[in-house]
Amino acid sequence: MTADRLRDIIEELGLSQNALARFLQVDPRTVRRWALDELPVPISVVLALELMIKYKVSVERAYAIANLEPPE
């Protein structure tokens, strides 16, 4: 996944980089480094985000599908 694609997905999901970091349970600096193309985006993250976009799954719905409570 390119940094441009990651930024597009973040926008399509209506998230900030910090909100994406909370959702993925990673450090916000990691998401910033992905978005600046300083680190490659892990394949598991690519798959999850691309599936969320393709099937129009919000973060809230993703938690519900996984039968999980969103972190606070």
Side-chain angles (χ1 to χ4, degrees):
M1 170 178 286
T2 65
D4 287 338
R5 178 65 180 144
L6 177 64
R7 289 190 303 270
D8 289 346
I9 286 176
I10 291 169
E11 185 176 326
E12 284 183 59
L13 291 173
L15 300 174
S16 65
Q17 288 182 9
N18 286 339
L20 180 63
R22 281 192 303 279
F23 172 63
L24 297 172
Q25 297 183 354
V26 299
D27 191 288
R29 289 175 293 191
T30 300
V31 174
R32 278 194 296 278
R33 292 180 73 194
W34 293 339
L36 293 171
D37 207 20
E38 293 175 359
L39 275 180
V41 181
I43 190 68
S44 57
V45 173
V46 172
L47 290 170
L49 294 177
E50 291 290 0
L51 287 168
M52 288 173 71
I53 292 300
K54 179 169 179 67
Y55 294 103
K56 298 178 180 18
V57 175
S58 67
V59 168
E60 295 78 16
R61 182 72 183 126
Y63 277 108
I65 289 168
N67 201 25
L68 297 171
E69 290 293 323
E72 296 183 19

